[in-house]
Amino acid sequence: MLPTGYKSILICDTRRAQEWRAGLRQAGLELVMIETEGLTSEKGAWELAVPEAQELAAKAFVAKVIQGRLRLPRAPFLSGTGIMSMIAIVLIVLVLVLASWMKAVR
């Protein structure tokens, strides 16, 4: 549910929402991200909303991006927690492989 006084401008996936958030903030606009919910929402989809007073400026920004006159900053493929999780998995697998190799050598 949108906060009072905010207007929805976009619904997109997490990575794209992060790019839109960064771009809109660089343009000096306030933004809230609300995870979508309900029967018609997709898992991981976000609704982006701006204050009513900034709605026209936000829509103009979105139009410029869609027309190719502006580019959004790229969000990293993996977030900090994603990288840490991958490192932990690799280390665990490495320990298991090393342990089984040590057991086979004996």
Side-chain angles (χ1 to χ4, degrees), residues 8-92:
S8 177
I9 57 167
L10 290 168
I11 295 179
C12 50
D13 65 17
T14 301
R15 184 168 183 218
R16 197 67 176 150
Q18 291 172 348
E19 293 171 353
W20 278 107
R21 178 176 57 189
L24 287 162
R25 285 191 175 159
Q26 282 180 359
L29 300 168
E30 185 181 333
L31 176 76
V32 293
M33 289 177 46
I34 301 128
E35 191 166 13
T36 59
E37 51 188 39
L39 297 175
T40 59
S41 69
E42 291 184 37
K43 183 152 180 74
W46 293 86
E47 184 173 10
L48 306 177
V50 295
E52 290 176 354
Q54 295 181 346
E55 182 182 13
L56 292 177
K59 286 183 177 182
F61 180 85
V62 170
K64 288 177 185 176
V65 171
I66 291 170
Q67 294 166 357
R69 294 190 288 158
L70 287 176
R71 296 185 64 106
L72 295 174
R74 290 285 173 208
F77 181 69
L78 291 173
S79 65
T81 56
I83 291 172
M84 293 303 290
S85 299
M86 286 180 59
I87 290 171
I89 290 169
V90 168
L91 288 175
I92 290 169

